[in-house]
Amino acid sequence: MGQKVHPVGFRLGISKDWQAKWYADRNYTDLLQEDLKIRKAIALNYSADDVARVEIDRAATQVTVTVYTARPGIVIGRGGQRVDEMRVILEKVAGKRVRLNIMEVARPEQDAFLVARSIAQQIQRRISHRRAMKQAISRAMESGAQGIKVTCSGRLTGSEYSRKETLFKGRVPLHTLRADIDYGLAVSHTTLGCTGVKVWIYKGDIIPESE
């Protein structure tokens, strides 16, 4: 039986940072629920392919929400209109002042969640899963990734039983702590059922070897 470790959780505090940066002695559960509501509100108002990840930072009376996106123009809107609307929604959800920052993802081909979401959407549009996986792999390698692994699982090509298919290129050292590995998971909802897409992208080493 395989024992799997989440690639991001495994590296937290070493080469990866937390997506929620706050500490609470009391009211921890309330703040956690508030975080989940903020993330849900962003997911409902922006389509999933627009947003790569959301980071939440808390001060005494203010919440800072940073949205990372490959298409900042769509998320910001004309003259910042969508940002203002989103800020009002988040302030209603959080019940306190919210500062909303929009950051651009420089290389969306190397963002694991965006790659997984793209493959899932193509499977939903009835494009061959193998073709979508190969295109994503070639784009990631062309943009400078050192390795990529993509796994699709579900009733692929309309088969009677669920199965798993994995394609990879380059190297993806999952056990190396200094390796900068981005991991993303997306689900494609098809007429045959759900198809899961997992993506691991190796971008090189972050922490230099100690001599």
Side-chain angles (χ1 to χ4, degrees):
M1 193 168 85
Q3 303 297 318
K4 309 290 189 302
V5 176
H6 196 289
V8 177
F10 185 50
R11 291 169 176 79
L12 274 178
I14 298 162
S15 60
K16 295 283 182 187
D17 209 352
W18 281 262
Q19 288 187 12
K21 298 169 191 170
W22 51 269
Y23 173 79
D25 272 331
R26 296 184 296 272
N27 308 324
Y28 176 82
T29 51
D30 296 339
L31 293 175
L32 182 62
Q33 289 297 321
E34 198 179 285
D35 270 20
L36 293 172
K37 285 174 186 172
I38 287 169
R39 291 179 192 279
K40 190 177 180 181
I42 290 168
L44 287 170
N45 285 277
Y46 294 131
S47 61
D49 52 321
D50 289 341
V51 176
R53 71 180 187 277
V54 177
E55 287 183 0
I56 298 170
D57 209 338
R58 290 179 184 277
T61 57
Q62 183 175 279
V63 181
T64 303
V65 179
T66 307
V67 176
Y68 289 83
T69 173
R71 297 190 282 183
I74 294 169
V75 172
I76 292 166
R78 187 171 290 176
Q81 185 188 347
R82 287 192 76 186
V83 170
D84 295 335
E85 288 170 3
M86 193 70 234
R87 191 184 294 112
V88 170
I89 292 166
L90 295 181
E91 283 178 350
K92 280 181 185 173
V93 168
K96 51 177 80 92
R97 275 184 63 219
V98 173
R99 189 161 161 242
L100 186 59
N101 299 326
I102 309 296
M103 301 289 282
E104 186 178 4
V105 176
R107 292 179 178 169
E109 305 86 10
Q110 286 186 35
D111 189 286
F113 175 75
L114 293 177
V115 171
R117 184 73 200 145
S118 168
I119 294 168
Q121 283 179 334
Q122 287 181 68
I123 292 169
Q124 222 158 292
R125 294 200 304 267
R126 304 193 179 196
I127 293 167
S128 163
H129 68 279
R130 206 175 282 113
R131 182 183 168 193
M133 287 161 79
K134 282 179 178 174
Q135 281 179 353
I137 287 168
S138 66
R139 277 199 295 267
M141 295 303 284
E142 281 167 18
S143 72
Q146 294 192 22
I148 177 170
K149 181 168 86 166
V150 182
T151 297
C152 283
S153 57
R155 289 182 62 187
L156 304 173
T157 61
S159 60
E160 192 76 19
Y161 300 102
S162 174
R163 62 191 176 89
K164 189 190 284 185
E165 203 163 303
T166 303
L167 293 177
F168 61 88
K169 197 170 185 179
R171 53 188 282 266
V172 185
L174 295 177
H175 290 236
T176 311
L177 278 168
R178 67 176 177 273
D180 181 11
I181 290 177
D182 195 12
Y183 170 76
L185 166 68
V187 179
S188 175
H189 300 276
T190 66
T191 50
L192 296 166
C194 291
T195 300
V197 182
K198 290 180 181 179
V199 175
W200 295 258
I201 297 176
Y202 173 49
K203 302 176 187 178
D205 290 349
I206 286 182
I207 302 166
E209 286 185 64
S210 56
E211 293 179 7

